[in-house]
């Protein structure tokens, strides 16, 4: 099976930075690529912040944090991912930019390397088709926040072969996640269930005239959710959730997949949740 000595992460937003954090903590040399040096530094700061919090809480040695941080290299040049055995893509959730990126990565990294996408609602098979090695392309779908959520879905596209699939699964375990095997069907496993469920929750806001606070209390205290649906959509990002809903609706034509009007209006108004400082709730930090 492919030995994963060095990993590349393309896109160091909330998801990419979280994945990079997991990788360096697990002792893996990691190259993170962002489009500007400034965005790369922001990701480094974010990772440093969360690792320092672990040190302050006594769950990580300061020396282990420093060693983890030293395993992270930043670059703006895709060519610098040339020596990676696995590259995980976490860029904008749109098909064409992802296909363009995979076509470039295909040219840059060794033919034996595994290419993975963190897409949540696009087709891994369509992304893989942009390369000359679709058999070595998989989905590795992490959940937000990646360092805290145990699951990673390992997605087998139409042409994925066993060996790269198993290598991605083993890497998921190595970075401390609980991987599950799934196929390239719309929403894979969790989003196929979670997206329409969250959409139902938001529609209930209007139908039952309950407040977001009370709806969240309802699902937390009546159904044992760790956080309520409004807080969760704020965490995921209202733009991200609307986009995933649209993508799944396009594929399944199931009415429950379509984004609720309230969320579309919030997205259009720039209320994106935590990342914009305001969604269903306001955030100061
Ligand atoms: N990255 C790294 N570390 C983080 C972090 C992040 N984004 N957010 C928090 N942490 C660290 C912090 O250091 C924090 O401690 P601090 O506040 O003292 O500094 C520490 O983790 C613990 O954080 P919390 O106290 O907030 O942890 P909780 O025990 O409250 O759990 C939770 C937080 C894990 C988010 C929990 O509320 C939960 O499980 N919520 C549900 C999340 C969920 O369902 N996610 C899936 C979304 S769907 C999705 O991602 C699919 C996609 O395709 C759309």
């Amino acid at each position: 099976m492919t030995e994963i000595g060095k990993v590349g992460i393309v896109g160091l937003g909330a998801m990419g930075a979280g994945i990079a954090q997991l990788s360096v903590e697990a002792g893996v040399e990691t190259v993170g690529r962002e489009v500007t040096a400034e965005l790369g530094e922001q990701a480094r700061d974010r990772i440093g912040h969360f690792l320092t919090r672990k040190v302050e809480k006594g769950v990580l040695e300061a020396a282990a944090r420093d060693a983890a941080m030293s395993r992270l290299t930043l670059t703006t040049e895709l060519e610098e991912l040339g020596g990676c055995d696995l590259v995980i893509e976490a860029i904008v959730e749109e098909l064409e930019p992802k296909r363009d990126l995979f076509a470039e990565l295909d040219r840059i990294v060794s033919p034996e390397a595994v290419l993975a996408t963190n897409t949540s609602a696009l087709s891994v098979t369509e992304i893989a088709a942009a390369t000359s090695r679709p058999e070595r392309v998989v989905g590795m779908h992490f959940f937000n926040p990646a360092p805290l959520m145990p699951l990673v879905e390992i997605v087998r596209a139409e042409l994925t072969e066993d060996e790269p699939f198993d290598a991605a699964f083993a890497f998921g375990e190595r970075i401390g996640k609980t991987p599950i095997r799934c196929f390239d069907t719309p929403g894979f496993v969790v989003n196929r269930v979670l997206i329409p469920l969250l959409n139902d929750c938001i529609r209930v806001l209007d139908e039952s005239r309950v407040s977001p606070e009370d709806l969240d209390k309802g699902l937390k205290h009546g159904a044992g959710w760790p956080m309520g649906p409004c807080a969760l959509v704020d965490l995921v990002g209202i733009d991200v959730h609307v986009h995933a809903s649209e993508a799944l609706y396009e594929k399944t034509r199931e009415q429950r997949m379509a984004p609720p009007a309230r969320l579309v209006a919030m997205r259009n108004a720039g209320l994106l949740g935590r990342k914009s400082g305001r969604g269903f709730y306001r955030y100061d930090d």
Side-chain angles (χ1 to χ4, degrees), residues 1 4 19 22 86-88 114-120 124-125 135-143 150-158 160-185 187-190:
M1 195 158 71
I4 311 284
I19 300 165
L22 289 162
L86 167 68
V87 178
I88 305 175
V114 179
L115 300 180
T117 171
N118 179 51
T119 184
S120 38
V124 181
T125 304
E135 66 285 350
R136 301 196 70 75
V137 178
V138 298
M140 289 188 78
H141 181 221
F142 291 82
F143 290 76
L151 186 68
V152 55
E153 293 175 323
I154 309 297
V155 184
R156 185 187 282 273
E158 279 307 307
T160 309
E161 286 178 354
D162 288 345
E163 189 273 322
F165 187 75
D166 293 343
F169 189 96
F171 184 73
E173 286 184 321
R174 183 169 160 203
I175 60 174
K177 296 286 115 176
T178 303
I180 61 170
R181 296 175 178 83
C182 52
F183 288 91
D184 188 23
T185 51
F188 313 134
V189 175
V190 173

Side-chain angles (χ1 to χ4, degrees), residues 190-199 241 244-245 248 256-257:
V190 173
N191 276 350
R192 171 70 183 80
V193 177
L194 189 59
I195 298 267
L197 181 56
L198 287 172
N199 286 341
H241 179 85
S245 297
L248 291 188
R256 290 177 66 230
M257 295 290 185

Side-chain angles (χ1 to χ4, degrees), residues 14-15 18 21 46 49-50 53-54 57 118-121 141-149 190-191 194-195 198 226-227 232 235-236 240-241 244:
M15 293 306 291
Q21 179 183 326
R46 182 183 173 94
H49 164 79
F50 286 124
R53 286 295 295 146
K54 287 177 101 169
K57 290 177 182 177
N118 179 51
T119 184
S120 38
H141 181 221
F142 291 82
F143 290 76
N144 193 347
L148 304 188
M149 297 301 286
V190 173
N191 276 350
L194 189 59
I195 298 267
L198 287 172
M227 67 202 299
L232 182 54
L235 173 73
V236 166
V240 172
H241 179 85

